[in-house]
């Protein structure tokens, strides 16, 4: 009769139970890092939007003081050009676009890592079911010394 492999050795070496667990843990760590990166990018976006609004107010106030004689319609038309030409405003817009790009990349990483965690969790559930099955088969193959006795 062939020797039975130790169940723990079989689970570890053949099925790779702990390898799957370690991979799931690593993917979870990657997911948390991606979520942190997405949060940071969102913070930078909020700050850049605030900076843009502040800069637009500064430009508007400066130009209104310099051009108080302009009609409101003419000023509204000119302010758009002045804001678009402002180097600081342009720098902040670049910063905003970069942060939005970082956020989009981090969001994609989050989705990818979430999928990886789900895949590894499903594999662990599958292995757990297989181990339960093997345990039941093993238990059924052990002779019961009380079998055949009747209790009246």
């Amino acid at each position: 009769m062939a020797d039975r492999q130790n169940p723990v050795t079989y689970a570890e070496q053949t099925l790779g139970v702990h390898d799957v667990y370690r991979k799931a843990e690593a993917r979870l760590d990657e997911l948390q890092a991606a979520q942190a990166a997405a949060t940071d990018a969102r913070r930078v976006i909020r700050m850049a939007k605030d900076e843009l609004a502040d800069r637009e107010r500064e430009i508007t106030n400066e130009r209104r003081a310099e051009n108080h004689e302009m009609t409101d319609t003419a000023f509204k038309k000119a302010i758009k050009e002045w804001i678009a030409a402002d180097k600081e405003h342009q720098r902040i817009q670049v910063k905003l676009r970069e942060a939005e790009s970082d956020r989009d990349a981090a969001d994609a990483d989050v989705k990818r890592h979430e999928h990886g965690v789900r895949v590894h969790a499903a594999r662990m559930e599958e292995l757990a079911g297989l181990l339960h099955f093997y345990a039941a088969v093993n238990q059924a193959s052990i002779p019961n010394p009380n079998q055949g006795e009747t209790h009246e």
Side-chain angles (χ1 to χ4, degrees), residues 109-129:
D109 285 346
V110 165
K111 286 183 175 142
R112 184 170 47 89
H113 293 310
E114 283 175 342
H115 177 73
V117 168
R118 282 193 300 274
V119 166
H120 289 299
R123 177 67 178 141
M124 288 189 323
E125 287 180 29
E126 179 182 37
L127 288 172

Side-chain angles (χ1 to χ4, degrees), residues 119-152:
V119 166
H120 289 299
R123 177 67 178 141
M124 288 189 323
E125 287 180 29
E126 179 182 37
L127 288 172
L130 186 61
L131 291 174
H132 283 293
F133 170 75
Y134 287 154
V137 168
N138 189 39
Q139 187 67 31
S141 68
I142 298 173
N144 185 350
N146 296 329
Q147 196 172 24
E149 291 182 15
T150 57
H151 299 286
E152 293 183 26

Side-chain angles (χ1 to χ4, degrees), residues 41-76:
R42 284 182 178 83
R43 180 185 49 77
V44 171
I45 289 169
R46 282 190 304 275
M47 290 172 46
K49 285 181 177 180
D50 288 345
E51 284 182 63
L52 273 177
D54 290 346
R55 185 62 189 148
E56 287 173 8
R57 275 191 296 278
E58 287 174 14
I59 295 168
T60 302
N61 290 338
E62 289 170 5
R63 294 299 181 148
R64 180 50 88 185
E66 294 170 1
N67 300 288
H68 56 76
E69 75 286 342
M70 287 180 88
T71 65
D72 200 39
T73 306
F75 183 80
K76 285 180 181 180

Side-chain angles (χ1 to χ4, degrees), residues 16-27:
V17 171
H18 275 91
D19 287 339
V20 172
Y21 175 73
R22 279 190 282 280
K23 288 176 184 176
E25 261 190 335
R27 192 52 71 108

Side-chain angles (χ1 to χ4, degrees), residues 79-125:
I79 194 66
K80 291 177 184 177
E81 295 171 8
W82 292 327
I83 289 173
D86 184 71
K87 297 296 180 195
E88 180 65 12
H89 192 270
Q90 292 170 0
R91 183 196 63 77
I92 297 168
Q93 284 181 319
V94 168
K95 179 180 171 182
L96 177 60
R97 283 192 295 275
E98 288 172 353
E100 288 171 338
S101 178
D102 291 346
R103 181 213 46 216
D104 293 345
D107 285 344
D109 285 346
V110 165
K111 286 183 175 142
R112 184 170 47 89
H113 293 310
E114 283 175 342
H115 177 73
V117 168
R118 282 193 300 274
V119 166
H120 289 299
R123 177 67 178 141
M124 288 189 323
E125 287 180 29

